[in-house]
C-alpha cells in the first residue's frame, strides 16, 4: 500500500498530470461547477450584469490589494471609531486569562490570539457592516471574480492580540479548503505594520486553481495545522504582497486558491473585518432560517429582491445528501497536482 501511494504521489508531480488537469479536468469541472452546481447563481449573474455595475477588477488574478481607496478608507475609519477601546480591553483581558477559548486548538494554545467580536459590537454598526457586504460594488466584485452570483457565508470581525508563542494556525501559510471558488474581503480597521500581523498573499498563481497543492502541506499535524506550511518550505522571495498600510487597506482574495497567512501580532493588536462570498457547494455555511444571521432585521419572507434573497439566504440542501460537498473536497485533493515551491 505504501509503495502504491508513493507511486501515485510521484505521478501527481509529473508534467503529464499537470497537462491532464490543465486541459481536461479543470475545464470540464468548471463547466460542471458553474452551470450545474451553481446554475441558479449563474442565471442571476447574467441578470445582474445586464445592467452596468461598478466593481473592483481582479484582472484574472486571485487577489487584489487596495491601499488607498477613498471609499474603503472612509468606511474603515467610520466603523473603527464605533468600537470602544473599553470593549477591546475587556476582550483582550479575557483572552489572556483564558476565559475566551477557541475550538481551533492552535488558536487556544496557551493563550487565544484571535477571536471574532462581530456580535460584541453595537447593532447599528453590525447593520452598517452588513449593508457594506450587500453593496452593489462588493457584490459585483465577488460576482465578477467567481462568475456566479455570490452568497454571503461569513462576516467576521477578527481581533488579534500580541502573540508571545510560536507561529501557529493561520499564522502559517495555508488555503481555506471549503470549496472550489470564493472571494474573501479582508478590510483593516487598524493601521497595519510589519509587526502587527499583516495579511500576506503568495502572488504566484497556478493555472490549475484548486487542482494544485504545495507538496509541503502538513497532513498529520495537530488539528488546526493540517494543510499549513512552515515559512522555510515556501518560496516566498519576491513572491509576496501584504496589507501593510493605513486602516482601510483591503485585500480581495480567493482564499480557496491563494496561499495566505497573517495575524502574528508582535507589538500591537490588529482589527480586521472579513466578509466571505461563496457558491452553494461551500462546506462552511452556517444554518440559515428566516432571519439573516448577521442582521436579524433582514427576514427572508419580507425581501422582494431575488438578488438580495439569494445572497442572504440561499442554501442548496440537496448538496448535503450523502456528504456530497465533502466528497467534492476529497475529489479536489485526490486530483491535485503536487508542486514543490
Amino acid at each position: 500500500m505504501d509503495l502504491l501511494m508513493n507511486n501515485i504521489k510521484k505521478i501527481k508531480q509529473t508534467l503529464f498530470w499537470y497537462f491532464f488537469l490543465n486541459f481536461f479536468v479543470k475545464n470540464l469541472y468548471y463547466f460542471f461547477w458553474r452551470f450545474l452546481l451553481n446554475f441558479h447563481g449563474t442565471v442571476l449573474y447574467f441578470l445582474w450584469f445586464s445592467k452596468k455595475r461598478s466593481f473592483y477588477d481582479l484582472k484574472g488574478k486571485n487577489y487584489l490589494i487596495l491601499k488607498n481607496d477613498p471609499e474603503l478608507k472612509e468606511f474603515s475609519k467610520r466603523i473603527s471609531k464605533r468600537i470602544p477601546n473599553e470593549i477591546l480591553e475587556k476582550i483582550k483581558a479575557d483572552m489572556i486569562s483564558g476565559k475566551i477559548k477557541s475550538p481551533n486548538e492552535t488558536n487556544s494554545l496557551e493563550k487565544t490570539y484571535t477571536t471574532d467580536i462581530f456580535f460584541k459590537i453595537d447593532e447599528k454598526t453590525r447593520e452598517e457592516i452588513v449593508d457594506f457586504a450587500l453593496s452593489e460594488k462588493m457584490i459585483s466584485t465577488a460576482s465578477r471574480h467567481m462568475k456566479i452570483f455570490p452568497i454571503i457565508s461569513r462576516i467576521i470581525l477578527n481581533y488579534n492580540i500580541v502573540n508571545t508563542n510560536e507561529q501557529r494556525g493561520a499564522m502559517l501559510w495555508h488555503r481555506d479548503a471549503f470549496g472550489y471558488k470564493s472571494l474573501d474581503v479582508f478590510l483593516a480597521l487598524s493601521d497595519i505594520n510589519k509587526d502587527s500581523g499583516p495579511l500576506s498573499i503568495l502572488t504566484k498563481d497556478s493555472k490549475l486553481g484548486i487542482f494544485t497543492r504545495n507538496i509541503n502541506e502538513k497532513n498529520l499535524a495537530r488539528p488546526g495545522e493540517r494543510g499549513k506550511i512552515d515559512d522555510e518550505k515556501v518560496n516566498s522571495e519576491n513572491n509576496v504582497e501584504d496589507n501593510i498600510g493605513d486602516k482601510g487597506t483591503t485585500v480581495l482574495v480567493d482564499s480557496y486558491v491563494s496561499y495566505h497567512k497573517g495575524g502574528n501580532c508582535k507589538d500591537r493588536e490588529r482589527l480586521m473585518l472579513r466578509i466571505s462570498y461563496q457558491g452553494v457547494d461551500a462546506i462552511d455555511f452556517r444554518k440559515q432560517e428566516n432571519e439573516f444571521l448577521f442582521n436579524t432585521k433582514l427576514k427572508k419572507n419580507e425581501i422582494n429582491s431575488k438578488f438580495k434573497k439569494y445572497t442572504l439566504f440561499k442554501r442548496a440542501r440537496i448538496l448535503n445528501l450523502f456528504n456530497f460537498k465533502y466528497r467534492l473536497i476529497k475529489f479536489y485533493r485526490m486530483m491535485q497536482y503536487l508542486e514543490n515551491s
Side-chain angles (χ1 to χ4, degrees):
M1 180 60 73
D2 288 342
L3 179 61
L4 175 63
M5 295 306 295
N6 285 333
N7 286 335
I8 291 174
K9 190 174 182 179
K10 288 178 181 178
I11 291 171
K12 292 171 69 175
Q13 297 176 63
T14 62
L15 283 177
F16 162 78
W17 194 253
Y18 176 89
F19 288 121
F20 170 67
L21 292 172
N22 191 38
F23 294 109
F24 183 67
V25 175
K26 182 187 73 172
N27 295 324
L28 281 178
Y29 188 82
Y30 173 72
F31 182 89
F32 168 74
W33 180 82
R34 188 183 184 194
F35 294 103
L36 294 177
L37 287 183
N38 286 279
F39 176 76
H40 189 179
T42 299
V43 171
L44 290 180
Y45 169 86
F46 287 115
L47 291 174
W48 179 258
F49 285 109
S50 63
K51 294 182 180 180
K52 187 175 181 180
R53 306 284 185 178
S54 174
F55 59 92
Y56 296 106
D57 189 358
L58 275 67
K59 298 180 179 179
K61 298 193 298 183
N62 289 310
Y63 76 96
L64 177 67
I65 299 179
L66 303 161
K67 296 199 174 185
N68 292 295
D69 184 89
E71 294 177 48
L72 297 173
K73 293 184 77 169
E74 192 277 330
F75 174 75
S76 174
K77 289 177 181 178
R78 190 167 68 250
I79 296 299
S80 61
K81 285 180 180 178
R82 294 184 184 167
I83 304 173
N85 285 330
E86 303 82 61
I87 289 180
L88 297 179
E89 288 300 321
K90 173 63 168 61
I91 294 171
K92 178 180 176 181
D94 288 345
M95 292 168 76
I96 293 173
S97 68
K99 290 182 180 179
I100 294 179
K101 292 288 186 181
S102 169
N104 185 325
E105 180 183 318
T106 56
N107 181 14
S108 292
L109 183 66
E110 294 189 37
K111 182 179 69 176
T112 300
Y113 69 87
T114 183
T115 190
D116 178 14
I117 66 168
F118 181 80
F119 290 103
K120 298 184 184 298
I121 61 177
D122 68 273
E123 185 179 36
K124 182 179 179 182
T125 304
R126 296 201 305 269
E127 290 173 3
E128 188 164 345
I129 289 173
V130 171
D131 287 343
F132 171 76
L134 283 168
S135 66
E136 178 180 308
K137 195 165 189 176
M138 300 315 300
I139 291 290
S140 298
T141 297
S143 201
R144 271 296 189 194
H145 171 70
M146 299 172 66
K147 297 297 186 289
I148 60 172
F149 199 76
I151 304 165
I152 298 172
S153 68
R154 291 186 291 173
I155 300 178
I156 299 170
L157 185 51
N158 273 331
Y159 179 48
N160 285 53
I161 63 173
V162 173
N163 169 50
T164 58
N165 296 304
E166 68 201 56
Q167 272 200 147
R168 61 197 195 275
M171 301 176 191
L172 302 172
W173 292 109
H174 67 282
R175 300 188 297 183
D176 301 323
F178 299 140
Y180 174 71
K181 203 170 184 63
S182 70
L183 189 74
D184 274 283
V185 179
F186 291 90
L187 189 146
L189 298 182
S190 56
D191 296 338
I192 307 291
N193 63 27
K194 64 182 180 63
D195 292 320
S196 56
L199 177 65
S200 299
I201 307 291
L202 275 183
T203 60
K204 181 183 177 183
D205 261 347
S206 172
K207 292 181 180 179
L208 298 180
I210 196 63
F211 288 110
T212 189
R213 172 164 52 96
N214 190 302
I215 198 171
N216 295 306
E217 284 188 9
K218 301 178 182 181
N219 296 318
L220 300 176
R222 62 192 172 193
E225 287 196 358
R226 295 191 183 105
K228 306 299 192 296
I229 312 173
D230 293 324
D231 285 353
E232 62 271 16
K233 293 185 177 180
V234 172
N235 179 19
S236 58
E237 187 175 357
N238 302 318
N239 193 27
V240 174
E241 289 192 29
D242 55 49
N243 70 334
I244 290 175
D246 298 335
K247 63 181 66 173
T249 298
T250 300
V251 176
L252 308 173
V253 61
D254 189 332
S255 65
Y256 294 173
V257 173
S258 294
Y259 283 96
H260 56 283
K261 67 172 185 173
N264 191 11
C265 302
K266 293 300 184 184
D267 67 354
R268 60 177 170 174
E269 290 73 37
R270 187 193 77 172
L271 202 55
M272 183 87 72
L273 174 65
R274 179 178 186 176
I275 301 168
S276 297
Y277 299 94
Q278 300 174 359
V280 294
D281 55 301
I283 64 173
D284 65 330
F285 286 114
R286 298 184 188 180
K287 189 176 180 180
Q288 179 66 70
E289 301 297 343
N290 185 55
E291 296 178 341
F292 185 52
L293 289 167
F294 303 100
N295 179 1
T296 55
K297 291 182 180 179
L298 297 172
K299 304 182 188 304
K300 186 176 182 179
N301 58 8
E302 296 177 359
I303 295 174
N304 295 319
S305 167
K306 56 182 175 291
F307 298 110
K308 191 172 184 178
K309 186 174 290 189
Y310 183 92
T311 199
L312 293 177
F313 295 101
K314 178 65 177 181
R315 296 290 187 273
R317 291 182 175 86
I318 193 171
L319 294 185
N320 291 323
L321 296 176
F322 308 109
N323 286 324
F324 185 70
K325 290 183 180 182
Y326 289 90
R327 291 177 186 271
L328 289 176
I329 301 296
K330 288 182 178 180
F331 171 70
Y332 306 146
R333 194 164 186 86
M334 179 181 70
M335 299 299 292
Q336 283 167 337
Y337 172 71
L338 301 179
E339 292 184 319
N340 193 22
S341 61

